[in-house]
Each structure stands twice: as structure tokens, then as C-alpha cells.
Amino acid sequence: MKSIEQRLPQEFDKSFIVFQEVGQFFPCPWHYHPEYELVLVLKSTGRRMVGDHISYFDEGDLVFMGPMLSHVWVSDPEFIYGQAEYQADAIVVQFVDSFLGKSFMDIPEMEGFAQFLKLSSRGMVIKGQTREKITALMTQMLPMNGLQRLSALLSIFDLLARTSEYELLASPGFVQNVELKSSDHFRRINEHIMQNFHEEISLPQMASIANMAVTTFCNFFKEHYRVTFVEYLNTIRVGHACKLLSERDLNIVEVAYECGFNNLANFNRQFKKFKRMTPSEFRRTLNFN
């Protein structure tokens, strides 16, 4: 089974990822990524594989993993074949150790958590009261604003730094053989999107940058990013729009064009899709007139 590098979409105005996975089953293949990851299963049962460790998961399963550790959650057949009475549901939190600055993990207050991170290269299932407390925090994070969400994440860090309620998963021998290089495809793709999202970016242009045919690029992007290229690009643009809307000197039309949307109707449609409110409503939540 070949492990692939895969990414979740990150909002432009967020320093880390909080993602809810809801569907008939968990679609993610055997994969790895450079972020630390915390996975909380709210609904679904099945098998999970972390490195060379295979176990059964149930509702409430909470696992923390270090960068580049291959893993997969495979729902039971009743979910895969649409026979379950409810959909699979999970919350995923991802971050890199420098998300608050390159020296953040080196400050004295982070010493305990930094030691905990060293163990995460093998992956670990979190248990007991620690799991209960982290579950409560993660389920509250989705609707939170930026600072509230960051505060919740730091509270999770504190719980992990002080806990002994965990079981290591992958064997040391497996971890020593993990490939720690991120694909050059990702670097080129991400750099170009982040530098040019405010302009028109075509599929042929992106395929050329990735050194792929257009069809190959579309398949690669959907497989590794779990969304289409256009969906990912719109995520970045809407995130940047939120940042611009928080400033007083641009009206909504100007924000739309500044973020790469070529018409206001499309901007409003995409913004509401990702933020569940219109740009005007978003601005009103910030107490602007």
C-alpha cells in the first residue's frame, strides 16, 4: 500500500487548521503530511492504521500524530456501503511547530509540550480524563473566532504536556524508516498559489508549474488536497477577503477584485459557501457600519 502526501485546505487568515470531516465514510487514503495532527472521531467505527500499528476505532477515539507519519482511518462496511444509520463525523486539528513563530516551541512555557511532541513521531492514542477534556475543547473550536480558537488549542497543548494517559502506536523501527521529505510538487504549487491567488490562475498554468498534464494535475490535486484546485483556490481567496473586510478602507466590490474574484456575484456565492454568511454580514459581525 503506497502512502501519499496529502494536505487539508488552510484558511488564509488562520495559522493552523481545524477541519470537520463529515460524510458517508472517511475518504482519506493511506497518507502522510508535514503537520502535527489531532484526530477526534465523533461518529463511525472501523479500523485505523498509524505507522505499522493497526487497531479498532470507535466513537470518541482520539489520536495525536507527528509529522510525516503515515496513517488511515477505514470505516466499517456499513458506512462504506451506505447502510449505517448516521454519517461518519470527525474533527481534525493540524499545525506545524512554527505556526506561532520559529522560536515559539523554545520558550520556557512550552518545554513540557515540546517534550511531548518528541513522542508523537510514533503516534499515540489519548485516553482517560485527558481525552474527555480535549474532546470538549475540540467540539467547541469549530464556531470559535481566531483568538478563541487559538486559546483552545493552547489549552489542549497544556493538557497533552501534563498527561500520562496515552499509548504509543507505531514501532520505533517503523518511525526510523519514515521519509521526511515533502514533495517538490507541493512546494511549487503552494508557492505559486499564495503569491498569485489575487490574479487569474488557470489550470494549464498550474499544471505547467507542477510539470504535469492538465488531467494528471487535476487528479493529483484532488487526491492529495481532498478538494479540487478551484475549491482550494477559493478557500485561500475567501480567507484573504476576511482579512480585507476587517479593514475600513475597502468596500465589498473592491475586496472581491482584490482577492481575485472577477465578479461580485461569484464572490458573494463563494464567501457564503465557506463562511455561511455574506461578506456584508461578516463585516457587521466586526461592528463595522
Side-chain angles (χ1 to χ4, degrees):
M1 180 167 54
K2 181 181 178 182
S3 183
I4 66 169
E5 185 173 0
Q6 191 169 64
R7 304 291 181 88
L8 291 177
Q10 180 170 352
E11 297 177 70
F12 183 88
D13 57 344
K14 301 292 189 299
S15 60
F16 63 97
I17 294 169
V18 180
F19 181 83
Q20 186 170 21
E21 179 80 81
V22 180
Q24 182 176 317
F25 57 91
F26 299 134
C28 202
W30 176 239
H31 71 287
Y32 61 91
H33 42 72
E35 295 86 5
Y36 291 93
E37 183 171 72
L38 191 60
V39 179
L40 170 64
V41 176
L42 298 175
K43 295 180 180 179
S44 190
T45 57
R47 290 173 295 110
R48 59 166 154 77
M49 185 172 181
V50 178
D52 57 352
H53 183 276
I54 301 176
S55 185
Y56 192 77
F57 74 83
D58 203 340
E59 295 178 7
D61 187 62
L62 180 64
V63 173
F64 184 74
M65 295 166 288
M68 312 306 280
L69 178 61
S70 295
H71 54 277
V72 66
W73 270 246
V74 181
S75 296
D76 280 332
E78 57 263 37
F79 290 91
I80 295 174
Y81 296 111
Q83 299 169 346
E85 296 180 355
Y86 53 88
Q87 289 189 308
D89 190 358
I91 299 175
V92 179
V93 174
Q94 289 186 350
F95 63 92
V96 294
D97 55 10
S98 60
F99 80 106
L100 289 179
K102 292 183 178 180
S103 59
F104 174 66
M105 291 298 174
D106 297 328
I107 64 176
E109 291 83 355
M110 297 303 295
E111 181 178 357
F113 184 62
Q115 292 299 318
F116 180 84
L117 289 182
K118 293 179 181 179
L119 296 171
S120 69
S121 62
R122 294 174 58 185
M124 53 187 70
V125 57
I126 310 299
K127 300 181 175 183
Q129 291 188 356
T130 304
R131 182 185 69 176
E132 294 177 7
K133 293 175 181 178
I134 292 176
T135 295
L137 287 165
M138 289 182 68
T139 54
Q140 295 167 13
M141 289 177 79
L142 287 166
M144 286 180 174
N145 65 34
L147 193 55
Q148 290 172 333
R149 187 177 282 189
L150 177 58
S151 177
L153 182 62
L154 293 178
S155 295
I156 291 173
F157 287 177
D158 178 59
L159 289 166
L160 293 176
R162 294 184 290 109
T163 190
S164 59
E165 297 179 302
Y166 61 83
E167 174 190 341
L168 295 175
L169 299 177
S171 67
F174 179 88
V175 172
Q176 289 174 3
N177 294 324
V178 171
E179 176 59 61
L180 295 178
K181 289 175 62 180
S182 180
S183 167
D184 190 49
H185 287 306
F186 286 97
R187 181 187 59 79
R188 293 199 303 267
I189 291 169
N190 288 333
E191 284 183 357
H192 189 81
I193 292 173
M194 296 308 295
Q195 292 171 6
N196 300 281
F197 66 84
H198 56 285
E199 301 175 353
E200 182 178 353
I201 304 178
S202 68
L203 277 172
Q205 180 184 5
M206 289 304 306
S208 176
I209 289 168
N211 196 26
M212 299 177 183
V214 172
T215 301
T216 304
F217 172 77
C218 290
N219 293 335
F220 170 88
F221 203 97
K222 184 66 181 289
E223 179 183 20
H224 291 78
Y225 285 78
R226 304 176 66 183
V227 293
T228 67
F229 167 69
V230 173
E231 289 171 333
Y232 185 83
L233 179 59
N234 284 334
T235 300
I236 300 300
R237 287 171 168 170
V238 168
H240 187 55
C242 290
K243 177 177 182 295
L244 296 182
L245 287 168
S246 68
E247 302 169 357
R248 297 177 181 270
D249 57 342
L250 291 177
N251 62 43
I252 291 176
V253 174
E254 290 172 327
V255 168
Y257 284 96
E258 186 75 15
C259 295
F261 291 99
N262 55 16
N263 67 75
L264 185 59
N266 186 40
F267 172 58
N268 287 329
R269 182 168 56 252
Q270 296 300 328
F271 195 98
K272 191 167 185 178
K273 174 183 176 181
F274 290 106
K275 295 299 180 181
R276 299 178 184 177
M277 64 179 74
T278 66
S280 298
E281 290 169 337
F282 179 83
R283 175 162 268 175
R284 281 197 293 272
T285 65
L286 303 176
N287 296 319
F288 289 123
N289 296 320

